[in-house]
Coordinates of all heavy atoms in Angstrom, one line a residue:
L25 N 0.4 8.6 -3.8 CA -1.0 8.3 -3.7 C -1.6 9.5 -2.9 O -1.3 9.7 -1.7 CB -1.3 7.0 -3.0 CG -2.7 6.6 -2.8 CD1 -3.3 6.4 -4.2 CD2 -2.8 5.3 -2.1
E26 N -2.3 10.3 -3.6 CA -2.9 11.6 -3.0 C -4.2 11.3 -2.3 O -5.0 10.5 -2.8 CB -3.1 12.6 -4.2 CG -1.9 13.2 -4.7 CD -1.3 14.3 -3.8 OE1 -2.0 14.8 -2.9 OE2 -0.1 14.7 -4.0
D27 N -4.4 12.0 -1.2 CA -5.7 12.0 -0.5 C -6.1 10.6 -0.1 O -7.2 10.1 -0.4 CB -6.8 12.6 -1.3 CG -6.7 14.1 -1.6 OD1 -6.1 14.8 -0.7 OD2 -7.1 14.5 -2.7
L28 N -5.2 9.9 0.7 CA -5.5 8.6 1.2 C -6.7 8.5 2.0 O -7.3 7.4 2.1 CB -4.2 8.2 1.9 CG -4.2 6.7 2.4 CD1 -4.1 5.7 1.1 CD2 -3.0 6.4 3.3
H29 N -7.1 9.6 2.6 CA -8.4 9.5 3.5 C -9.6 9.2 2.7 O -10.7 8.9 3.3 CB -8.6 10.8 4.2 CG -8.4 12.1 3.3 ND1 -7.2 12.6 3.1 CD2 -9.3 12.8 2.7 CE1 -7.4 13.7 2.3 NE2 -8.7 13.8 2.0
W30 N -9.6 9.3 1.3 CA -10.7 8.9 0.5 C -10.5 7.5 -0.2 O -11.1 7.2 -1.2 CB -11.0 10.0 -0.5 CG -11.6 11.1 0.0 CD1 -12.5 11.3 1.1 CD2 -11.4 12.5 -0.4 NE1 -12.9 12.6 1.3 CE2 -12.2 13.3 0.4 CE3 -10.8 13.1 -1.4 CZ2 -12.4 14.7 0.3 CZ3 -10.8 14.5 -1.6 CH2 -11.6 15.3 -0.8
C31 N -9.5 6.7 0.3 CA -9.1 5.5 -0.4 C -10.2 4.5 -0.2 O -10.9 4.4 0.9 CB -7.8 5.0 0.2 SG -7.0 3.8 -0.8
D32 N -10.3 3.6 -1.2 CA -11.3 2.5 -1.1 C -10.6 1.3 -0.3 O -9.4 1.2 -0.2 CB -11.7 2.0 -2.5 CG -10.5 1.6 -3.4 OD1 -9.8 2.4 -3.9 OD2 -10.3 0.3 -3.4
Q33 N -11.5 0.4 0.1 CA -11.0 -0.7 0.9 C -10.0 -1.6 0.1 O -9.0 -2.1 0.7 CB -12.3 -1.6 1.2 CG -11.9 -2.9 1.9 CD -11.3 -2.7 3.4 OE1 -12.1 -2.2 4.2 NE2 -10.1 -3.0 3.6
A34 N -10.3 -1.9 -1.2 CA -9.4 -2.8 -1.9 C -8.0 -2.1 -2.0 O -7.0 -2.9 -1.9 CB -9.9 -3.0 -3.3
T35 N -7.9 -0.8 -2.3 CA -6.6 -0.2 -2.4 C -5.8 -0.2 -1.1 O -4.7 -0.5 -1.0 CB -6.8 1.3 -2.9 OG1 -7.4 1.2 -4.2 CG2 -5.4 1.9 -2.9
L36 N -6.6 0.0 0.0 CA -6.0 -0.1 1.4 C -5.5 -1.6 1.6 O -4.4 -1.7 2.2 CB -6.9 0.3 2.4 CG -7.3 1.7 2.5 CD1 -8.4 1.9 3.6 CD2 -6.0 2.6 2.9
D37 N -6.2 -2.5 1.1 CA -5.8 -4.0 1.3 C -4.4 -4.2 0.5 O -3.5 -4.8 1.1 CB -6.8 -4.9 0.8 CG -8.1 -5.0 1.7 OD1 -7.9 -4.6 2.8 OD2 -9.1 -5.5 1.2
W38 N -4.3 -3.6 -0.6 CA -3.1 -3.8 -1.4 C -1.9 -3.1 -0.7 O -0.8 -3.6 -0.6 CB -3.2 -3.3 -2.8 CG -2.0 -3.5 -3.6 CD1 -1.6 -4.7 -4.1 CD2 -0.9 -2.5 -3.8 NE1 -0.3 -4.5 -4.7 CE2 0.1 -3.2 -4.5 CE3 -0.7 -1.2 -3.5 CZ2 1.3 -2.5 -5.0 CZ3 0.4 -0.5 -3.9 CH2 1.4 -1.2 -4.6
L39 N -2.2 -1.9 -0.2 CA -1.1 -1.2 0.5 C -0.6 -1.9 1.8 O 0.6 -2.0 2.0 CB -1.6 0.2 1.0 CG -1.8 1.2 -0.2 CD1 -2.5 2.5 0.4 CD2 -0.5 1.6 -0.9
S40 N -1.5 -2.5 2.5 CA -1.2 -3.3 3.6 C -0.4 -4.5 3.2 O 0.6 -4.9 3.8 CB -2.4 -3.7 4.4 OG -2.1 -4.5 5.5
F41 N -0.8 -5.2 2.1 CA -0.1 -6.3 1.6 C 1.3 -6.0 1.2 O 2.2 -6.7 1.5 CB -0.9 -7.0 0.5 CG -0.4 -8.2 -0.1 CD1 -0.6 -9.4 0.6 CD2 0.3 -8.2 -1.3 CE1 0.0 -10.6 0.1 CE2 0.9 -9.4 -1.8 CZ 0.7 -10.5 -1.2
V42 N 1.4 -5.0 0.4 CA 2.8 -4.7 -0.2 C 3.7 -4.2 0.8 O 5.0 -4.5 0.8 CB 2.6 -3.7 -1.4 CG1 2.4 -2.3 -0.9 CG2 3.9 -3.7 -2.3
T43 N 3.3 -3.5 1.9 CA 4.2 -3.0 2.9 C 4.6 -4.1 3.9 O 5.5 -4.0 4.7 CB 3.5 -1.8 3.7 OG1 2.2 -2.2 4.2 CG2 3.4 -0.7 2.8
R44 N 3.8 -5.2 3.9 CA 4.2 -6.3 4.9 C 5.3 -7.1 4.3 O 6.0 -7.8 5.1 CB 2.9 -7.2 5.1 CG 1.9 -6.7 5.9 CD 0.7 -7.7 6.0 NE -0.3 -7.1 6.8 CZ -0.4 -7.3 8.2 NH1 0.5 -7.9 8.8 NH2 -1.4 -6.8 8.9
R45 N 5.6 -7.1 3.0 CA 6.5 -8.0 2.5 C 7.9 -7.6 2.8 O 8.1 -6.3 3.0 CB 6.3 -8.2 0.9 CG 5.0 -8.9 0.6 CD 4.6 -8.7 -0.8 NE 5.6 -9.3 -1.8 CZ 5.5 -10.5 -2.3 NH1 4.6 -11.3 -1.9 NH2 6.4 -10.9 -3.2
R46 N 8.9 -8.4 2.9 CA 10.2 -8.1 3.3 C 11.3 -8.4 2.2 O 12.5 -8.3 2.6 CB 10.6 -9.0 4.6 CG 9.7 -8.6 5.8 CD 10.1 -7.2 6.2 NE 9.2 -6.7 7.4 CZ 8.2 -5.9 7.1 NH1 7.9 -5.5 5.9 NH2 7.5 -5.4 8.2
S47 N 10.9 -8.7 1.1 CA 11.9 -8.9 0.0 C 12.5 -7.6 -0.3 O 11.9 -6.5 -0.2 CB 11.3 -9.5 -1.2 OG 10.2 -8.7 -1.7
R48 N 13.8 -7.5 -0.7 CA 14.5 -6.3 -0.9 C 14.2 -5.7 -2.3 O 14.6 -6.3 -3.3 CB 16.0 -6.5 -0.7 CG 16.4 -7.0 0.6 CD 17.9 -7.0 0.8 NE 18.5 -5.7 0.7 CZ 18.6 -4.9 1.7 NH1 18.2 -5.1 2.9 NH2 19.2 -3.7 1.5
V49 N 13.5 -4.6 -2.3 CA 13.2 -3.9 -3.6 C 13.3 -2.4 -3.4 O 13.2 -2.0 -2.2 CB 11.7 -4.3 -4.1 CG1 11.7 -5.7 -4.5 CG2 10.7 -4.0 -3.0
R50 N 13.4 -1.8 -4.4 CA 13.6 -0.3 -4.4 C 12.3 0.3 -4.6 O 12.0 0.9 -5.7 CB 14.7 0.2 -5.4 CG 16.0 -0.4 -5.2 CD 17.0 0.0 -6.3 NE 18.3 -0.6 -6.1 CZ 19.4 -0.3 -6.9 NH1 19.2 0.4 -8.0 NH2 20.5 -0.9 -6.6
L51 N 11.5 0.4 -3.5 CA 10.1 0.9 -3.6 C 9.9 1.9 -2.6 O 10.2 1.8 -1.4 CB 9.1 -0.3 -3.4 CG 7.7 0.1 -3.4 CD1 7.2 0.7 -4.7 CD2 6.8 -1.2 -3.0

């Protein structure tokens, strides 16, 4: 994800959501 400083609110919400999860995945 390039230039995160121009990111929209919805995309930031998804990033926060996906990084909070603790299931083991190769991401």
Side-chain angles (χ1 to χ4, degrees):
L25 188 58
E26 289 278 347
D27 294 329
L28 188 66
H29 48 275
W30 285 329
C31 195
D32 62 278
Q33 173 71 65
T35 299
L36 287 176
D37 287 342
W38 181 78
L39 290 173
S40 180
F41 182 79
V42 75
T43 54
R44 284 179 183 275
R45 291 167 64 93
R46 292 294 176 260
S47 56
R48 298 185 65 84
V49 292
R50 298 177 179 179
L51 177 62

